[in-house]
Amino acid sequence: MDIKILPLPAEKMKQKIADETKLSFGKQFTDRMLLVEWKTDRGWFDARIQPYAPFVLDPSAMVFHYAQEIFEGLKAYKWADGRVALFRPEMNARRFNQSGERLCMPAVPEDLFLGGLQQLLSLEKDWVPSAPETSLYIRPAMIAVEPVLGVNPSNHYYFFIILSPVGAYYAAGFNPVSILVEDHYVRAVPGGTGEAKTGGNYASSLKAALEAKKKGYDQVLWLDGREQRFIEEVGSMNMFFAYGNKIVTAALNGSILSGITRDSILTLALSLGYEVEERPIEIHDLMTDIRSGKVTEAFGSGTAAVVTPVGKLCFKDEVVQLSGGKVGKLTQELYDTLTGIQTGKRKDEFGWVKFVE
Ligand SMILES: *Cc1c(COP(=O)(O)O)cnc(C)c1O
Protein backbone atom coordinates (compact mmCIF):
# COMPACT_ATOMS: atom_id res chain seq x y z
CA MET A 1 0.00 0.00 0.00
CA ASP A 2 1.19 3.48 -0.88
CA ILE A 3 1.81 5.68 2.13
CA LYS A 4 1.15 9.37 1.56
CA ILE A 5 3.59 11.72 3.23
CA LEU A 6 1.87 14.92 4.33
CA PRO A 7 3.91 18.12 4.69
CA LEU A 8 5.27 19.07 8.08
CA PRO A 9 4.81 22.83 8.48
CA ALA A 10 7.73 24.57 10.22
CA GLU A 11 5.50 25.62 13.14
CA LYS A 12 4.61 21.97 13.83
CA MET A 13 8.26 21.03 14.33
CA LYS A 14 9.21 20.50 17.95
CA GLN A 15 12.25 21.35 19.97
CA LYS A 16 14.35 18.30 20.82
CA ILE A 17 15.60 17.91 24.38
CA ALA A 18 19.19 19.14 24.20
CA ASP A 19 20.42 17.11 27.17
CA GLU A 20 19.70 13.44 26.35
CA THR A 21 20.51 12.37 29.91
CA LYS A 22 17.33 14.20 30.95
CA LEU A 23 14.99 12.11 28.80
CA SER A 24 12.17 10.46 30.74
CA PHE A 25 9.87 7.68 29.53
CA GLY A 26 7.07 8.35 27.05
CA LYS A 27 6.38 12.02 27.76
CA GLN A 28 7.69 13.60 24.59
CA PHE A 29 6.74 12.62 21.05
CA THR A 30 8.36 13.26 17.68
CA ASP A 31 7.12 15.49 14.84
CA ARG A 32 5.32 12.85 12.80
CA MET A 33 3.08 9.82 13.18
CA LEU A 34 1.75 7.06 10.93
CA LEU A 35 -2.02 6.71 10.62
CA VAL A 36 -3.98 4.14 8.59
CA GLU A 37 -7.73 3.52 8.66
CA TRP A 38 -9.77 0.38 8.14
CA LYS A 39 -13.46 0.06 7.41
CA THR A 40 -15.46 -3.13 6.95
CA ASP A 41 -16.47 -2.21 3.39
CA ARG A 42 -13.07 -0.83 2.31
CA GLY A 43 -10.31 -2.67 4.16
CA TRP A 44 -7.16 -0.62 4.84
CA PHE A 45 -7.09 2.86 3.31
CA ASP A 46 -5.60 6.35 3.57
CA ALA A 47 -2.19 5.33 4.90
CA ARG A 48 -0.38 8.55 5.71
CA ILE A 49 2.54 9.93 7.62
CA GLN A 50 1.34 13.22 9.06
CA PRO A 51 2.34 15.76 11.71
CA TYR A 52 1.87 14.34 15.23
CA ALA A 53 -1.57 15.59 16.26
CA PRO A 54 -4.54 14.80 18.53
CA PHE A 55 -7.39 12.66 17.17
CA VAL A 56 -10.85 14.15 16.91
CA LEU A 57 -13.11 11.27 17.93
CA ASP A 58 -16.79 10.99 18.63
CA PRO A 59 -17.52 10.57 22.37
CA SER A 60 -19.39 7.42 21.42
CA ALA A 61 -16.33 5.92 19.70
CA MET A 62 -16.27 2.28 20.75
CA VAL A 63 -12.77 2.31 22.23
CA PHE A 64 -13.89 4.71 24.98
CA HIS A 65 -16.61 2.35 26.16
CA TYR A 66 -15.62 -1.23 25.52
CA ALA A 67 -11.82 -0.93 25.26
CA GLN A 68 -11.35 -2.55 21.88
CA GLU A 69 -7.68 -1.63 21.66
CA ILE A 70 -4.32 -3.30 21.12
CA PHE A 71 -0.75 -2.03 21.18
CA GLU A 72 2.91 -2.95 20.78
CA GLY A 73 6.20 -1.63 22.12
CA LEU A 74 9.66 -1.76 20.55
CA LYS A 75 12.73 0.43 20.31
CA ALA A 76 15.07 1.96 17.73
CA TYR A 77 18.72 2.38 18.73
CA LYS A 78 21.31 4.80 17.31
CA TRP A 79 24.54 2.91 16.65
CA ALA A 80 27.99 4.50 16.91
CA ASP A 81 28.28 4.41 13.09
CA GLY A 82 25.11 6.50 12.77
CA ARG A 83 22.82 3.69 11.62
CA VAL A 84 19.45 3.20 13.31
CA ALA A 85 18.70 -0.38 14.37
CA LEU A 86 15.48 -2.17 15.26
CA PHE A 87 15.36 -5.34 17.34
CA ARG A 88 13.24 -8.20 15.93
CA PRO A 89 10.44 -5.89 14.68
CA GLU A 90 8.78 -8.69 12.71
CA MET A 91 7.99 -10.34 16.07
CA ASN A 92 6.03 -7.24 17.09
CA ALA A 93 4.16 -7.22 13.78
CA ARG A 94 3.20 -10.85 14.31
CA ARG A 95 2.18 -10.43 17.94
CA PHE A 96 0.15 -7.32 17.06
CA ASN A 97 -1.99 -9.45 14.78
CA GLN A 98 -2.31 -12.20 17.38
CA SER A 99 -3.59 -9.60 19.86
CA GLY A 100 -5.90 -8.21 17.17
CA GLU A 101 -7.32 -11.63 16.42
CA ARG A 102 -8.27 -12.05 20.12
CA LEU A 103 -9.94 -8.62 20.16
CA CYS A 104 -11.78 -9.21 16.83
CA MET A 105 -9.78 -6.52 15.05
CA PRO A 106 -8.55 -6.66 11.43
CA ALA A 107 -5.04 -7.96 10.73
CA VAL A 108 -2.48 -5.35 9.67
CA PRO A 109 -0.51 -6.80 6.72
CA GLU A 110 3.09 -7.28 7.89
CA ASP A 111 4.44 -5.18 5.03
CA LEU A 112 2.17 -2.30 6.07
CA PHE A 113 3.23 -2.57 9.72
CA LEU A 114 6.95 -2.94 8.97
CA GLY A 115 7.04 -0.80 5.82
CA GLY A 116 5.08 1.99 7.53
CA LEU A 117 7.41 1.84 10.50
CA GLN A 118 10.48 1.96 8.23
CA GLN A 119 9.19 5.01 6.35
CA LEU A 120 8.20 6.82 9.53
CA LEU A 121 11.58 6.13 11.10
CA SER A 122 13.56 7.21 8.07
CA LEU A 123 11.77 10.59 8.28
CA GLU A 124 12.20 10.83 12.08
CA LYS A 125 15.77 9.47 12.29
CA ASP A 126 17.08 12.64 13.91
CA TRP A 127 14.86 11.92 16.90
CA VAL A 128 16.73 8.76 17.84
CA PRO A 129 18.91 9.75 20.80
CA SER A 130 22.48 8.46 21.04
CA ALA A 131 23.48 8.86 24.71
CA PRO A 132 24.06 5.55 26.55
CA GLU A 133 20.85 3.70 27.44
CA THR A 134 18.65 6.04 25.41
CA SER A 135 16.52 4.94 22.47
CA LEU A 136 13.47 5.87 20.44
CA TYR A 137 10.49 4.02 21.89
CA ILE A 138 7.99 2.95 19.22
CA ARG A 139 4.31 2.57 20.07
CA PRO A 140 2.08 0.99 17.41
CA ALA A 141 -1.58 0.78 18.44
CA MET A 142 -5.04 0.14 17.04
CA ILE A 143 -8.33 1.56 18.34
CA ALA A 144 -12.01 1.07 17.49
CA VAL A 145 -13.42 4.44 16.41
CA GLU A 146 -16.92 3.64 15.15
CA PRO A 147 -19.39 5.95 16.96
CA VAL A 148 -21.88 3.32 18.13
CA LEU A 149 -22.70 2.15 21.67
CA GLY A 150 -23.67 -1.39 20.68
CA VAL A 151 -21.36 -4.15 21.90
CA ASN A 152 -19.96 -5.48 18.63
CA PRO A 153 -16.64 -5.46 16.84
CA SER A 154 -16.21 -1.99 15.36
CA ASN A 155 -16.60 -1.33 11.64
CA HIS A 156 -13.94 1.41 11.71
CA TYR A 157 -10.39 1.37 13.16
CA TYR A 158 -7.30 3.57 13.37
CA PHE A 159 -3.92 1.85 13.23
CA PHE A 160 -1.22 4.32 14.24
CA ILE A 161 2.43 4.50 15.27
CA ILE A 162 3.87 7.21 17.50
CA LEU A 163 7.49 7.64 18.58
CA SER A 164 9.01 8.85 21.83
CA PRO A 165 12.69 9.47 22.62
CA VAL A 166 13.35 7.81 25.98
CA GLY A 167 16.10 7.62 28.56
CA ALA A 168 17.00 4.81 30.93
CA TYR A 169 13.74 3.22 32.11
CA TYR A 170 14.61 3.57 35.78
CA ALA A 171 15.83 7.04 36.71
CA ALA A 172 17.69 5.41 39.63
CA GLY A 173 19.76 3.29 37.21
CA PHE A 174 20.33 -0.46 36.86
CA ASN A 175 19.42 -1.32 40.46
CA PRO A 176 17.41 -4.19 41.87
CA VAL A 177 13.67 -3.60 42.32
CA SER A 178 11.40 -4.97 45.03
CA ILE A 179 8.41 -7.09 44.16
CA LEU A 180 5.21 -7.99 45.97
CA VAL A 181 3.60 -11.31 45.05
CA GLU A 182 -0.07 -10.43 44.56
CA ASP A 183 -2.34 -12.88 46.37
CA HIS A 184 -5.69 -11.10 46.06
CA TYR A 185 -6.11 -9.51 42.62
CA VAL A 186 -5.45 -11.41 39.39
CA ARG A 187 -4.31 -10.15 35.98
CA ALA A 188 -5.46 -12.90 33.65
CA VAL A 189 -7.33 -16.17 33.59
CA PRO A 190 -7.24 -19.12 31.18
CA GLY A 191 -9.37 -18.17 28.20
CA GLY A 192 -9.09 -14.45 29.02
CA THR A 193 -7.02 -11.77 27.31
CA GLY A 194 -3.75 -12.16 29.24
CA GLU A 195 -1.87 -13.26 26.14
CA ALA A 196 -3.01 -10.22 24.14
CA LYS A 197 -1.30 -6.85 24.42
CA THR A 198 -4.44 -4.88 25.14
CA GLY A 199 -5.06 -1.82 27.30
CA GLY A 200 -7.75 -3.50 29.36
CA ASN A 201 -5.18 -5.81 30.98
CA TYR A 202 -3.37 -2.73 32.20
CA ALA A 203 -6.47 -0.86 33.39
CA SER A 204 -7.36 -3.80 35.60
CA SER A 205 -3.81 -4.05 36.99
CA LEU A 206 -3.57 -0.49 38.30
CA LYS A 207 -5.21 -1.07 41.67
CA ALA A 208 -2.87 -3.88 42.69
CA ALA A 209 0.15 -1.85 41.57
CA LEU A 210 -1.00 1.15 43.57
CA GLU A 211 -1.54 -0.90 46.71
CA ALA A 212 1.89 -2.51 46.30
CA LYS A 213 3.47 0.96 45.96
CA LYS A 214 1.80 2.03 49.20
CA LYS A 215 3.46 -0.94 50.91
CA GLY A 216 6.82 0.12 49.50
CA TYR A 217 7.12 -2.29 46.55
CA ASP A 218 8.04 -1.30 43.00
CA GLN A 219 6.02 -3.91 41.13
CA VAL A 220 3.52 -6.72 41.45
CA LEU A 221 4.22 -10.35 40.60
CA TRP A 222 1.02 -11.95 39.34
CA LEU A 223 -0.03 -15.48 40.19
CA ASP A 224 -2.29 -17.54 37.95
CA GLY A 225 -5.92 -16.44 38.00
CA ARG A 226 -7.41 -19.82 38.81
CA GLU A 227 -5.56 -21.12 41.88
CA GLN A 228 -3.18 -18.26 42.66
CA ARG A 229 -0.43 -20.83 43.02
CA PHE A 230 1.73 -20.43 39.94
CA ILE A 231 3.98 -17.52 38.94
CA GLU A 232 2.79 -15.70 35.83
CA GLU A 233 4.59 -12.38 35.22
CA VAL A 234 5.39 -8.94 36.57
CA GLY A 235 3.60 -5.77 35.43
CA SER A 236 4.95 -5.50 31.89
CA MET A 237 7.77 -8.03 32.26
CA ASN A 238 8.25 -11.77 32.10
CA MET A 239 10.01 -13.25 35.10
CA PHE A 240 13.17 -15.39 35.35
CA PHE A 241 14.79 -17.21 38.28
CA ALA A 242 18.38 -18.44 38.22
CA TYR A 243 19.18 -21.75 39.88
CA GLY A 244 22.95 -21.60 39.59
CA ASN A 245 23.64 -22.22 35.88
CA LYS A 246 20.01 -22.85 35.00
CA ILE A 247 17.44 -20.15 34.33
CA VAL A 248 13.78 -20.93 34.81
CA THR A 249 10.77 -19.01 33.53
CA ALA A 250 7.05 -19.74 33.55
CA ALA A 251 5.92 -21.79 30.56
CA LEU A 252 3.58 -19.89 28.22
CA ASN A 253 0.11 -21.06 29.21
CA GLY A 254 -2.27 -18.75 27.37
CA SER A 255 -2.56 -16.15 30.12
CA ILE A 256 1.08 -14.98 30.09
CA LEU A 257 2.21 -12.38 27.55
CA SER A 258 4.74 -13.96 25.22
CA GLY A 259 7.59 -11.45 25.55
CA ILE A 260 10.05 -10.93 22.72
CA THR A 261 12.71 -10.11 25.33
CA ARG A 262 11.77 -13.36 27.10
CA ASP A 263 12.28 -15.34 23.91
CA SER A 264 15.58 -13.56 23.20
CA ILE A 265 16.88 -14.24 26.71
CA LEU A 266 16.07 -17.95 26.45
CA THR A 267 18.01 -18.13 23.18
CA LEU A 268 20.93 -16.05 24.48
CA ALA A 269 21.22 -17.97 27.76
CA LEU A 270 21.48 -21.25 25.83
CA SER A 271 24.15 -19.81 23.54
CA LEU A 272 26.09 -18.57 26.58
CA GLY A 273 26.16 -22.13 27.92
CA TYR A 274 23.37 -21.92 30.50
CA GLU A 275 20.53 -24.37 30.85
CA VAL A 276 17.02 -23.03 30.37
CA GLU A 277 13.74 -24.40 31.59
CA GLU A 278 10.17 -23.31 30.83
CA ARG A 279 7.77 -24.85 33.32
CA PRO A 280 5.04 -24.02 35.81
CA ILE A 281 6.63 -22.37 38.88
CA GLU A 282 4.72 -22.99 42.10
CA ILE A 283 5.02 -20.06 44.51
CA HIS A 284 5.54 -22.06 47.73
CA ASP A 285 8.23 -24.18 46.04
CA LEU A 286 9.85 -21.02 44.76
CA MET A 287 9.89 -19.44 48.23
CA THR A 288 11.43 -22.64 49.63
CA ASP A 289 14.12 -22.55 46.92
CA ILE A 290 14.87 -18.87 47.60
CA ARG A 291 15.10 -19.49 51.37
CA SER A 292 17.45 -22.43 50.91
CA GLY A 293 19.66 -20.47 48.51
CA LYS A 294 18.90 -22.67 45.49
CA VAL A 295 17.54 -19.62 43.65
CA THR A 296 20.54 -17.40 43.18
CA GLU A 297 19.09 -14.52 41.13
CA ALA A 298 15.81 -13.19 39.79
CA PHE A 299 15.09 -10.71 37.04
CA GLY A 300 12.30 -9.44 34.82
CA SER A 301 12.47 -9.00 31.02
CA GLY A 302 10.67 -6.56 28.75
CA THR A 303 11.36 -4.07 25.99
CA ALA A 304 11.02 -0.95 28.15
CA ALA A 305 13.57 -1.91 30.82
CA VAL A 306 15.25 -4.81 28.93
CA VAL A 307 16.41 -6.75 32.02
CA THR A 308 15.41 -5.67 35.53
CA PRO A 309 17.17 -7.25 38.51
CA VAL A 310 14.96 -8.21 41.46
CA GLY A 311 16.52 -7.77 44.89
CA LYS A 312 13.58 -8.41 47.18
CA LEU A 313 10.40 -10.46 47.02
CA CYS A 314 7.46 -10.48 49.43
CA PHE A 315 4.82 -13.25 49.55
CA LYS A 316 2.08 -13.09 52.20
CA ASP A 317 4.10 -11.78 55.13
CA GLU A 318 7.47 -13.21 54.26
CA VAL A 319 10.18 -11.04 52.73
CA VAL A 320 13.17 -12.69 51.05
CA GLN A 321 16.29 -11.21 49.50
CA LEU A 322 17.83 -12.29 46.20
CA SER A 323 21.54 -12.15 45.37
CA GLY A 324 22.09 -10.12 48.52
CA GLY A 325 19.89 -7.35 47.17
CA LYS A 326 22.53 -6.67 44.49
CA VAL A 327 22.61 -7.17 40.72
CA GLY A 328 23.47 -10.82 40.12
CA LYS A 329 26.28 -11.93 37.79
CA LEU A 330 24.00 -13.79 35.36
CA THR A 331 21.51 -10.91 35.28
CA GLN A 332 24.32 -8.49 34.47
CA GLU A 333 25.74 -10.79 31.78
CA LEU A 334 22.37 -11.18 30.05
CA TYR A 335 21.70 -7.44 30.26
CA ASP A 336 25.13 -6.64 28.79
CA THR A 337 24.82 -9.23 26.02
CA LEU A 338 21.31 -8.25 24.97
CA THR A 339 21.85 -4.47 25.07
CA GLY A 340 25.20 -5.08 23.37
CA ILE A 341 23.48 -6.74 20.40
CA GLN A 342 20.79 -4.04 20.28
CA THR A 343 23.31 -1.20 20.20
CA GLY A 344 25.90 -2.80 17.90
CA LYS A 345 28.58 -3.38 20.52
CA ARG A 346 28.26 -7.16 20.24
CA LYS A 347 27.91 -9.46 17.28
CA ASP A 348 24.33 -10.36 16.34
CA GLU A 349 24.60 -14.09 15.65
CA PHE A 350 20.86 -14.53 15.39
CA GLY A 351 19.87 -12.07 12.67
CA TRP A 352 17.79 -10.10 15.17
CA VAL A 353 18.85 -6.62 14.13
CA LYS A 354 17.11 -4.79 11.24
CA PHE A 355 18.34 -1.41 10.09
CA VAL A 356 16.29 1.61 9.12
CA GLU A 357 16.99 2.33 5.46
C1 LIG B 1 4.81 -6.16 26.53
C2 LIG B 1 4.67 -7.01 27.73
C3 LIG B 1 5.72 -7.83 28.19
C4 LIG B 1 7.09 -7.84 27.60
O1 LIG B 1 7.15 -8.15 26.26
P1 LIG B 1 8.41 -7.74 25.36
O2 LIG B 1 8.05 -8.20 24.01
O3 LIG B 1 9.58 -8.42 25.94
O4 LIG B 1 8.52 -6.25 25.48
C5 LIG B 1 5.46 -8.65 29.27
N1 LIG B 1 4.27 -8.65 29.89
C6 LIG B 1 3.26 -7.87 29.48
C7 LIG B 1 1.96 -7.93 30.21
C8 LIG B 1 3.42 -7.02 28.39
O5 LIG B 1 2.41 -6.23 28.01
Side-chain angles (χ1 to χ4, degrees):
M1 175 183 301
D2 247 14
I3 299 176
K4 211 184 293 163
I5 296 171
L6 304 185
L8 177 68
E11 73 273 12
K12 288 263 168 78
M13 287 178 75
K14 299 172 189 165
Q15 199 76 37
K16 296 185 181 71
I17 289 182
D19 183 356
E20 290 183 348
T21 62
K22 298 245 157 40
L23 285 169
S24 52
F25 188 85
K27 292 189 180 155
Q28 196 197 7
F29 299 92
T30 72
D31 293 323
R32 297 175 176 92
M33 62 189 285
L34 172 80
L35 177 60
V36 195
E37 296 186 50
W38 185 95
K39 282 189 170 177
T40 305
D41 53 359
R42 294 184 66 178
W44 292 105
F45 66 97
D46 265 6
R48 68 255 197 200
I49 291 172
Q50 61 172 53
Y52 184 96
F55 292 134
V56 177
L57 291 179
D58 199 289
S60 66
M62 284 177 154
V63 65
F64 296 141
H65 304 275
Y66 311 122
Q68 203 188 4
E69 185 266 2
I70 55 167
F71 68 96
E72 268 302 324
L74 65 161
K75 284 173 168 176
Y77 305 87
K78 176 77 73 52
W79 283 22
D81 62 9
R83 285 185 295 175
V84 172
L86 293 166
F87 185 73
R88 311 185 75 184
E90 66 289 347
M91 298 282 280
N92 297 94
R94 209 170 304 151
R95 188 171 65 187
F96 193 67
N97 285 337
Q98 285 162 1
S99 300
E101 201 277 327
R102 180 64 181 80
L103 276 280
C104 301
M105 300 172 94
V108 177
E110 256 184 51
D111 59 344
L112 176 58
F113 186 104
L114 295 171
L117 177 58
Q118 279 278 351
Q119 280 196 53
L120 178 63
L121 283 172
S122 68
L123 287 164
E124 298 290 74
K125 250 185 187 161
D126 290 347
W127 281 95
V128 187
S130 55
E133 289 177 47
T134 63
S135 58
L136 187 69
Y137 185 77
I138 300 161
R139 169 52 59 88
M142 195 192 319
I143 54 174
V145 298
E146 190 186 358
V148 176
L149 291 183
V151 181
N152 286 300
S154 178
N155 287 301
H156 188 190
Y157 297 93
Y158 285 177
F159 163 55
F160 59 95
I161 303 180
I162 55 175
L163 308 170
S164 172
V166 298
Y169 191 68
Y170 297 107
F174 189 60
N175 293 313
V177 298
S178 60
I179 279 180
L180 180 68
V181 181
E182 177 56 57
D183 60 7
H184 175 65
Y185 302 109
V186 297
R187 187 191 89 94
V189 292
T193 57
E195 210 176 24
K197 226 169 160 68
T198 179
N201 291 339
Y202 280 80
S204 60
S205 76
L206 296 174
K207 196 166 167 64
L210 209 63
E211 290 181 12
K213 282 243 161 66
K214 279 194 198 136
K215 292 181 189 155
Y217 289 88
D218 298 311
Q219 305 227 24
V220 161
L221 174 54
W222 299 104
L223 298 176
D224 73 280
R226 188 181 276 161
E227 296 180 88
Q228 296 201 281
R229 268 186 67 207
F230 295 95
I231 301 283
E232 298 240 304
E233 58 178 305
V234 175
S236 57
M237 297 189 297
N238 296 109
M239 201 57 213
F240 288 85
F241 299 93
Y243 285 72
N245 281 334
K246 179 166 74 187
I247 65 166
V248 180
T249 191
L252 298 177
N253 60 359
S255 55
I256 295 173
L257 201 289
S258 171
I260 295 162
T261 319
R262 175 189 181 278
D263 181 78
S264 308
I265 281 178
L266 288 171
T267 304
L268 272 185
L270 271 180
S271 82
L272 291 169
Y274 297 103
E275 274 178 74
V276 303
E277 205 168 272
E278 298 173 76
R279 61 164 168 89
I281 304 172
E282 210 271 344
I283 181 65
H284 296 94
D285 294 347
L286 178 73
M287 292 301 283
T288 304
D289 291 346
I290 294 174
R291 254 182 255 126
S292 71
K294 273 196 205 162
V295 174
T296 42
E297 299 178 30
F299 63 89
S301 77
T303 296
V306 192
V307 167
T308 301
V310 174
K312 194 168 97 173
L313 197 79
C314 174
F315 175 54
K316 307 271 188 202
D317 287 317
E318 184 183 4
V319 180
V320 287
Q321 244 199 7
L322 284 138
S323 45
K326 303 206 171 61
V327 180
K329 202 174 126 282
L330 181 67
T331 305
Q332 184 75 52
E333 184 182 7
L334 288 167
Y335 175 84
D336 290 343
T337 311
L338 188 52
T339 55
I341 293 172
Q342 290 167 337
T343 57
K345 293 179 191 78
R346 298 206 181 198
K347 193 163 171 281
D348 169 22
E349 293 167 39
F350 308 99
W352 284 342
V353 169
K354 301 275 142 57
F355 293 103
V356 173
E357 282 127 41

